[in-house]
Amino acid sequence: MKPWIAYSLLRVGVFAAAFTVLMVANVETWIAAVIAAILGFAVSYVFFGKLRDAVALDLASRRGRPSHDPDRDAEDAAVEHDAETATTTEGAAESSAEAPTDATSAEQSTQHDAR
């Protein structure tokens, strides 16, 4: 059994046992729940340290897996390509808007001569 399942079941079991005892003792429901939660935290902290460490190691080993993912690399490459294409297109549009074409400059010089 995976350590996090065992740890979770033990914590829920401690909470349920404490809650049941408090409910049998006619303690109000919300107070019984709060006390049972505090007891569950305290008991699991004091007595389930090895199991808690095993859960932490299991989570760390899952997180420690390689972050290199071929799909992620392909997506990143596609986004970078799209960004470069957009930048190139914007730059070409700006330069064509700023620099007059030969036909435009010829038209302007003709208009200037006509004045």
Side-chain angles (χ1 to χ4, degrees):
M1 181 183 308
K2 294 186 179 190
W4 64 270
I5 293 174
Y7 185 67
S8 298
L9 289 175
L10 283 172
R11 287 190 65 174
V12 168
V14 169
F15 173 81
F19 185 73
T20 302
V21 168
L22 291 169
M23 289 304 294
V24 169
N26 288 331
V27 177
E28 287 190 45
T29 306
W30 70 274
I31 294 175
V34 169
I35 292 172
I38 292 170
L39 285 173
F41 289 136
V43 168
S44 66
Y45 184 74
V46 172
F47 295 108
F48 304 147
K50 289 182 182 178
L51 192 54
R52 188 177 59 248
D53 291 341
V55 172
L57 288 174
D58 185 47
L59 291 174
S61 70
R62 288 184 187 191
R63 182 65 184 131
R65 291 184 183 148
S67 61
H68 186 280
D69 180 12
D71 288 337
R72 186 183 315 170
D73 293 342
E75 291 169 358
D76 290 345
V79 168
E80 288 174 7
H81 177 68
D82 290 345
E84 289 174 6
T85 304
T87 304
T88 305
T89 305
E90 288 175 5
E94 288 175 4
S95 65
S96 66
E98 293 173 0
T101 60
D102 291 337
T104 307
S105 55
E107 227 177 79
Q108 288 175 350
S109 64
T110 307
Q111 288 176 357
H112 181 44
D113 292 340
R115 289 187 210 167

